[in-house]
Amino acid sequence: MAILRLGQTSLVFSIIAVIGGSIVKPYAKVGGWIMIGSGIAIFITSCFYNALGIFPATVLIAAGLTSISRKTHASHSGDVSS
């Protein structure tokens, strides 16, 4: 029964990670932190019942770190003053 709950928890955090990945374009830092949090949660829950979640969790953490460290340029701010 506990394994089923851990699997459900991983599924919920995966859905949250997809939401975080979809908001990276307008809100890079928020989406990055959501992906990092989801990656850590998936890593913790997958360590208890199988190792299949370790690779996706690592990729989520890397993607979150990349989006947090992304530089935003003034040309992409949407200001049209030419």
Side-chain angles (χ1 to χ4, degrees), residues 12-50:
V12 168
F13 282 115
S14 296
I15 292 170
I16 291 172
V18 168
I19 293 169
S22 66
I23 65 169
V24 164
K25 183 98 173 161
Y27 307 107
K29 302 235 184 276
V30 175
W33 282 111
I34 290 172
M35 287 192 291
I36 288 174
S38 296
I40 291 171
I42 291 170
F43 184 81
I44 290 171
T45 57
S46 68
C47 285
F48 287 115
Y49 65 96
N50 67 6

Side-chain angles (χ1 to χ4, degrees), residues 2-16:
I3 292 176
L4 181 64
R5 293 200 190 277
L6 286 174
Q8 292 170 345
T9 305
S10 294
L11 179 67
V12 168
F13 282 115
S14 296
I15 292 170
I16 291 172

Side-chain angles (χ1 to χ4, degrees), residues 46 54 71:
S46 68
I54 293 175
K71 303 282 188 213

